[in-house]
Amino acid sequence: MKETKQGHRSSSKTSSVSSSPLILDLEDFKGDFSFDALFGNLVNELLPSFQEDDRDEGQANLRGTQGSSLPLFPKVDALLDLFKDSCKELVDLRQRIDGRLFNLKREVSSQDAQHRKTLSELEKGVDGLFDSFARLDTRISSVGQTAAKIGDHLQSADYQRETASQTIELIKYLMEFNSSPGYLMELSPLFSDDSRVAEAASITQKLRSFAEEDVVRHGGISMSSVVGTANASRGLEVVVSNLQEYCNELENRLLNRFDTASQKRELSTMGECAKILSQFNRGTSAMQHYVITRPMFLDVEVMNADVRMVLGDQDLQAGPKNLAHGLSQLYKEITETVRKEAATIMAVFPSPNDVMSILVQRVLEQRVSAILDKLLVKPSLVNLPPVEEGGLLLYLRGLAVAYEKTQELAKDLRAVGCGDLDVEGVTESLFSIHKDDYPEHEQASLGQLYQAKMEELHVEGQQQYDSTGTISHAKGASSPPSHQQIFVTVVTELVRWNEESISRCNLFSSQPATLAANVKLVFTCLLDQVSKYITDGLEHACESLNEAASMRERFMIGSIVSRRVAAAASAAEAAAAAGESSFRSFMVAVQRCASSVAIVQQYFTNSIARLLLHVDGAHAASCEEMVTAMSRAEAAAFKGLQQCIETVMAEVERLLSSEQKLTDYRTPDDGMIPDHRPTNACTRVVAYLWRVLDSAFTALEGQNKQAFLTELGNRLHKGFVSHWLKFTFSASGGLRLKRDITEYGEFLRSFNAPSIDEKFELLGIMANVFIVAPESLPTLFEGNPSIRKDALKFIQLRDDFKTAKIASRFNNLMADN
């Protein structure tokens, strides 16, 4: 039954579709077109009826269909008809749309042709309009230029009219001044009205400028256009003279009014007067008048107060510290005064910087210069001021303090304001008289200080010598005055004075070349002083060595009668003590000399060298001068060290001569235990050497010490050999000799001289010639052929040299040598 119904529905739908005049509409294709939506709208009326059949009916239909000839989808025919109608309508719709499009194209083409024609006509009209605008713009530009020219001509004409009017008025005023004396009574009221002073000043300046320029330009040529006479220039000269007289009178009136306003502190009136006065010589007279009328330049009490503030009650003997304090207070007060004046100047004058320049220059050249003249009285280099009153050093220290404080004042004034004034240059000019020959004063001061120090040391040394001279003379030795000794503290003081001088050179010398030249001069003074001081000390120490040597020669033990042996020995001991004392004194002098030179070298490296590097050759020249200055001291030290060696050798020879016995090296070989101790002479000599050379070990350093000890060691070696060649040796005596050589060698090892150690080692080997049997002597030279010659000399000193017929054994060997 369903099948029948379904088939009826389908047939009815088909008939309805076929009878439907329109299935599709143009509206369906407008807007957002979707094929799925269009298709759904076409089939939705057929498909839902099929989809709503339940499952059982479907299965029944399926079974029925399988059992019959009905199709699986009964609406297929209806859908096919629907699709066919739709296709037909789509074709119709396309034809209609194509027709519409054709009509629209034809219409658009017609309108486009019409539009093109209209545009062509519009373009022609616009081109014509542009041509009209161009002609109009050209016309406007021409009219504008003409108007501008007319305006310029009008402005020029107005300016000329105004100028002519002013010129006529100026000529009228000029004619008024072209009169005889007493013309002031005939002048226009403008020139006598106090309320129109500014206008009168302006006009008179114009008249003066015009008249003076014309006189200068034309000289004797007439100016008929102005005066109307053949003697125009002469007339203008009268005008210039009268104008000058009037300007002077007007300027004086303004200055009086300015002074009155200044006393009442009426700044507005002062400013008005200053502005008018600026037309007269740029206001120079007003500015200078204001500056010179300041109380600090007119009041004498101000000057006296300045001196009291700086010097106090000490008059001109104020020390550097008090001077620095006083100047600081004074300059602080001056700066505050200038600062207050600057506030008034800024409020009154139209050109305050120019006024400040005049004010500051006046302060430096009058007020500061006056106090400096009181403080710094330049001493004469011919008659130096006494050291007790401070000497040149007091003047130099005061100069340095004043210069430094005045430089600080210049900086403070620069900060307050001084216009275009070269305040530093003005400050330098205040000290130019003192800086011209400043290096000579430094040199003279250092010389004066050195001389005073030497005199002081001389007095102290003389007092010490007077108190100890009698005792020293009783002991047989004269104690040198202490002023001739070398003290490192004195050199340190000399360096300190020089360093102070260098600091002043650095303060006063702004140019590197000038600074280097001054530093070199001052440092040369130190070199000369230190060289002379230490050289004199070394030479005096050498004199002590010479005195000790003279004492040794006078009291030398020689061929003396037996009753005077004891006195001679005592005198010899006194001479030895004097020699030992002078040796120590010289070594102390050498040590202090070395320390002094080191101080000078260190001072040069730390303080002087860097100041000389700015000038080519200055550093090398100073180094060469330092070497030259110390060469004299080196020569004195070398001479003294040679004398020290002579002193030591003389005492060693004296001890050996007095203490060495003939039996020391010729003890009998009786089978007794030999004495392995060094001889008494050896003990005394070594003890003396230890005692006297202790000061040399301390005083000398480096190559000087090595050279001195090496030379002394060679002299000792030579002296010992010469001494031993005077004795005859037994076998046991040879052992004692070998012990003495060992003792000497042990001591000499402290010299750290390998060549000396080697020589004493060879001496120890040569001493074996006294110990070995005669037949073994040739074997001693096999390992040391270099000592053969000296050994042969020693062999002859054997006590058995003749009895053992040793000479015959070595005839050939001695002949070869």
Side-chain angles (χ1 to χ4, degrees):
M1 185 167 184
K2 283 186 177 181
E3 293 177 2
T4 305
K5 186 183 290 188
Q6 184 70 20
H8 176 71
R9 185 182 303 172
S10 177
S11 61
S12 65
K13 179 65 177 177
T14 300
S15 62
S16 66
V17 170
S18 61
S19 62
S20 176
L22 182 62
I23 297 175
L24 300 175
D25 190 1
L26 289 178
E27 298 297 331
D28 296 334
F29 298 93
K30 293 181 179 180
D32 296 333
F33 173 75
S34 174
F35 177 78
D36 293 337
L38 176 64
F39 183 79
N41 291 333
L42 291 175
V43 300
N44 278 343
E45 294 182 359
L46 297 176
L47 291 182
S49 62
F50 172 74
Q51 292 174 352
E52 290 175 359
D53 294 342
D54 54 10
R55 194 171 185 180
D56 294 340
E57 185 179 356
Q59 291 178 356
N61 290 335
L62 181 59
R63 286 193 299 268
T65 304
Q66 291 176 353
S68 66
S69 60
L70 292 175
L72 180 61
F73 297 102
K75 300 298 183 179
V76 170
D77 295 335
L79 290 172
L80 290 175
D81 294 337
L82 177 64
F83 292 156
K84 290 178 181 180
D85 294 339
S86 297
C87 287
K88 181 187 282 187
E89 291 191 11
L90 285 173
V91 173
D92 294 340
L93 287 173
R94 184 179 66 183
Q95 291 177 352
R96 282 188 291 170
I97 291 173
D98 288 342
R100 288 184 181 180
L101 288 175
F102 177 76
N103 293 332
L104 288 173
K105 287 182 179 179
R106 187 172 57 187
E107 184 179 356
V108 168
S109 177
S110 175
Q111 292 181 356
D112 182 63
Q114 183 67 30
H115 179 65
R116 289 179 182 275
K117 182 179 179 181
T118 303
L119 286 178
S120 177
E121 294 176 355
L122 287 175
E123 287 178 356
K124 293 179 180 179
V126 169
D127 290 341
L129 184 61
F130 282 156
D131 292 340
S132 299
F133 281 153
R135 290 193 299 272
L136 180 60
D137 183 65
T138 302
R139 182 60 179 167
I140 292 173
S141 176
S142 176
V143 172
Q145 291 178 359
T146 303
K149 291 180 180 179
I150 293 172
D152 291 340
H153 287 307
L154 291 175
Q155 185 176 4
S156 176
D158 183 68
Y159 175 75
Q160 292 177 2
R161 183 189 63 80
E162 183 68 24
T163 302
S165 176
Q166 293 179 359
T167 303
I168 293 173
E169 186 176 2
L170 289 176
I171 292 175
K172 183 184 69 173
Y173 291 142
L174 195 65
M175 296 296 292
E176 293 181 7
F177 281 97
N178 188 20
S179 62
S180 58
Y183 65 93
L184 292 179
M185 300 299 296
E186 302 175 359
L187 293 177
S188 300
L190 167 66
F191 299 103
S192 58
D193 190 353
D194 288 342
S195 62
R196 301 177 65 186
V197 172
E199 184 180 357
S202 176
I203 290 177
T204 52
Q205 290 304 311
K206 291 180 181 179
L207 293 176
R208 285 184 61 188
S209 176
F210 173 77
E212 291 174 356
E213 181 181 355
D214 186 80
V215 171
V216 173
R217 187 191 308 123
H218 295 87
I221 300 175
S222 63
M223 292 185 61
S224 59
S225 60
V226 177
V227 181
T229 64
N231 197 16
S233 296
R234 181 177 180 84
L236 287 183
E237 291 176 358
V238 173
V239 170
V240 171
S241 176
N242 291 337
L243 281 172
Q244 182 63 50
E245 183 179 353
Y246 173 78
C247 288
N248 293 338
E249 188 274 336
L250 181 60
E251 191 173 3
N252 290 332
R253 274 197 298 164
L254 289 170
L255 288 175
N256 292 333
R257 185 186 300 180
F258 182 86
D259 287 341
T260 303
S262 176
Q263 294 174 3
K264 298 179 180 180
R265 296 295 298 171
E266 296 176 353
L267 298 183
S268 60
T269 305
M270 292 172 63
E272 181 182 354
C273 294
K275 184 177 181 181
I276 299 172
L277 286 167
S278 64
Q279 301 181 45
F280 298 93
N281 298 323
R282 298 181 180 179
T284 302
S285 58
M287 293 185 288
Q288 292 179 346
H289 180 77
Y290 175 79
V291 171
I292 63 176
T293 55
R294 297 304 89 201
M296 60 178 168
F297 301 130
L298 297 177
D299 193 350
V300 179
E301 183 58 31
V302 174
M303 308 296 179
N304 297 333
D306 291 347
V307 175
R308 288 195 300 270
M309 181 178 294
V310 176
L311 300 179
D313 298 331
Q314 298 179 358
D315 197 16
L316 297 179
Q317 298 297 324
K321 291 184 178 180
N322 294 332
L323 184 61
H325 177 72
L327 282 176
S328 297
Q329 295 296 322
L330 174 61
Y331 288 166
K332 182 178 180 181
E333 179 185 339
I334 291 176
T335 303
E336 291 301 321
T337 303
V338 173
R339 183 176 285 109
K340 293 177 181 178
E341 292 293 343
T344 302
I345 291 171
M346 293 295 177
V348 170
F349 289 93
S351 300
N353 288 336
D354 295 339
V355 186
M356 288 300 299
S357 177
I358 298 173
L359 176 65
V360 172
Q361 184 173 3
R362 190 65 176 248
V363 166
L364 293 174
E365 293 181 350
Q366 180 172 333
R367 191 172 180 185
V368 175
S369 178
I371 190 64
L372 292 179
D373 291 342
K374 288 285 187 180
L375 296 178
L376 305 175
V377 179
K378 190 175 181 180
S380 171
L381 293 177
V382 178
N383 298 318
L384 299 181
V387 178
E388 295 78 11
E389 298 178 2
L392 277 175
L393 185 59
L394 180 64
Y395 161 73
L396 291 173
R397 286 176 175 176
L399 178 62
V401 170
Y403 183 82
E404 188 173 8
K405 293 301 179 182
T406 308
Q407 289 288 340
E408 294 176 2
L409 172 65
K411 293 180 181 178
D412 294 338
L413 293 177
R414 171 69 69 184
V416 173
C418 56
D420 297 331
L421 177 67
D422 182 13
V423 63
E424 290 79 9
V426 176
T427 304
E428 288 292 330
S429 66
L430 298 179
F431 293 89
S432 59
I433 188 175
H434 300 281
K435 293 172 65 176
D436 290 341
D437 52 358
Y438 159 74
E440 288 78 4
H441 281 79
E442 283 289 359
Q443 289 179 306
S445 174
L446 292 173
Q448 186 182 41
L449 292 173
Y450 177 79
Q451 188 64 32
K453 189 64 180 179
M454 294 302 103
E455 292 176 358
E456 177 186 349
L457 293 175
H458 175 74
V459 172
E460 293 178 356
Q462 193 63 43
Q463 291 175 352
Q464 182 178 356
Y465 181 67
D466 292 342
S467 61
T468 60
T470 305
I471 301 176
S472 300
H473 182 73
K475 292 181 178 180
S478 59
S479 176
S482 62
H483 77 281
Q484 294 178 336
Q485 297 179 14
I486 298 175
F487 295 99
V488 179
T489 55
V490 174
V491 176
T492 303
E493 192 169 8
L494 295 178
V495 171
R496 181 174 59 80
W497 289 337
N498 197 268
E499 188 174 15
E500 182 181 343
S501 296
I502 293 296
S503 66
R504 286 192 291 268
C505 291
N506 206 3
L507 178 65
F508 294 134
S509 306
S510 56
Q511 299 299 325
T514 306
L515 174 61
N518 293 341
V519 167
K520 188 172 179 296
L521 288 175
V522 172
F523 182 66
T524 301
C525 288
L526 175 67
L527 293 178
D528 294 340
Q529 291 173 358
V530 173
S531 174
K532 185 177 186 308
Y533 176 67
I534 62 179
T535 301
D536 291 347
L538 290 172
E539 290 178 349
H540 179 72
C542 289
E543 292 175 2
S544 298
L545 291 170
N546 292 333
E547 291 177 4
S550 299
M551 292 179 64
R552 287 194 304 270
E553 292 176 0
R554 285 197 303 269
F555 302 111
M556 183 181 296
I557 299 178
S559 54
I560 307 174
V561 294
S562 58
R563 56 188 175 84
R564 298 184 59 191
V565 169
S570 177
E573 290 289 343
E580 185 173 344
S581 175
S582 61
F583 181 92
R584 289 197 182 93
S585 297
F586 186 82
M587 286 301 168
V588 171
V590 170
Q591 182 181 17
R592 293 176 178 177
C593 175
S595 300
S596 300
V597 173
I599 291 173
V600 174
Q601 291 175 339
Q602 187 68 27
Y603 168 60
F604 176 80
T605 302
N606 294 342
S607 302
I608 303 300
R610 61 183 177 83
L611 301 176
L612 301 176
L613 295 177
H614 298 288
V615 179
D616 294 338
H619 183 275
S622 293
C623 291
E624 185 176 353
E625 288 184 2
M626 187 159 50
V627 172
T628 303
M630 300 306 169
S631 60
R632 183 184 172 192
E634 290 179 355
F638 178 78
K639 179 181 178 181
L641 290 174
Q642 292 292 332
Q643 290 178 334
C644 285
I645 292 176
E646 296 296 336
T647 299
V648 171
M649 291 306 303
E651 180 61 15
V652 168
E653 291 173 0
R654 187 189 72 82
L655 290 174
L656 291 174
S657 299
S658 61
E659 300 296 333
Q660 197 82 67
K661 298 181 175 60
L662 294 176
T663 58
D664 286 343
Y665 300 123
R666 200 172 181 182
T667 55
D669 299 327
D670 51 5
M672 297 181 62
I673 299 176
D675 190 354
H676 295 290
R677 296 174 300 173
T679 63
N680 184 54
C682 175
T683 303
R684 290 285 302 275
V685 168
V686 171
Y688 166 75
L689 291 175
W690 274 117
R691 185 175 66 252
V692 74
L693 291 181
D694 180 64
S695 59
F697 291 147
T698 304
L700 300 177
E701 295 180 353
Q703 295 181 356
N704 294 331
K705 180 178 181 180
Q706 193 65 37
F708 174 78
L709 294 178
T710 301
E711 176 66 18
L712 179 59
N714 289 327
R715 292 289 302 276
L716 287 172
H717 174 268
K718 184 177 180 181
F720 290 148
V721 171
S722 299
H723 171 70
W724 290 325
L725 290 176
K726 301 175 183 177
F727 293 86
T728 302
F729 297 85
S730 63
S732 58
L735 290 175
R736 294 204 75 182
L737 174 64
K738 194 174 182 65
R739 181 67 184 85
D740 284 355
I741 293 173
T742 302
E743 190 72 14
Y744 291 137
E746 288 294 333
F747 166 73
L748 291 173
R749 283 194 183 92
S750 62
F751 287 10
N752 291 323
S755 61
I756 305 302
D757 296 340
E758 182 180 358
K759 287 184 177 182
F760 275 84
E761 288 177 1
L762 294 177
L763 280 179
I765 295 173
M766 285 191 296
N768 291 329
V769 302
F770 303 122
I771 302 173
V772 302
E775 58 273 12
S776 300
L777 287 174
T779 61
L780 294 176
F781 310 110
E782 293 178 357
N784 297 282
S786 60
I787 65 172
R788 180 180 298 176
K789 183 178 180 179
D790 293 333
L792 291 176
K793 294 179 182 180
F794 273 72
I795 290 173
Q796 298 178 40
L797 302 178
R798 287 176 63 115
D799 58 354
D800 60 350
F801 181 75
K802 294 181 179 180
T803 59
K805 299 180 180 180
I806 296 176
S808 62
R809 298 174 182 268
F810 290 94
N811 282 335
N812 294 334
L813 183 61
M814 294 176 67
D816 294 339
N817 285 276

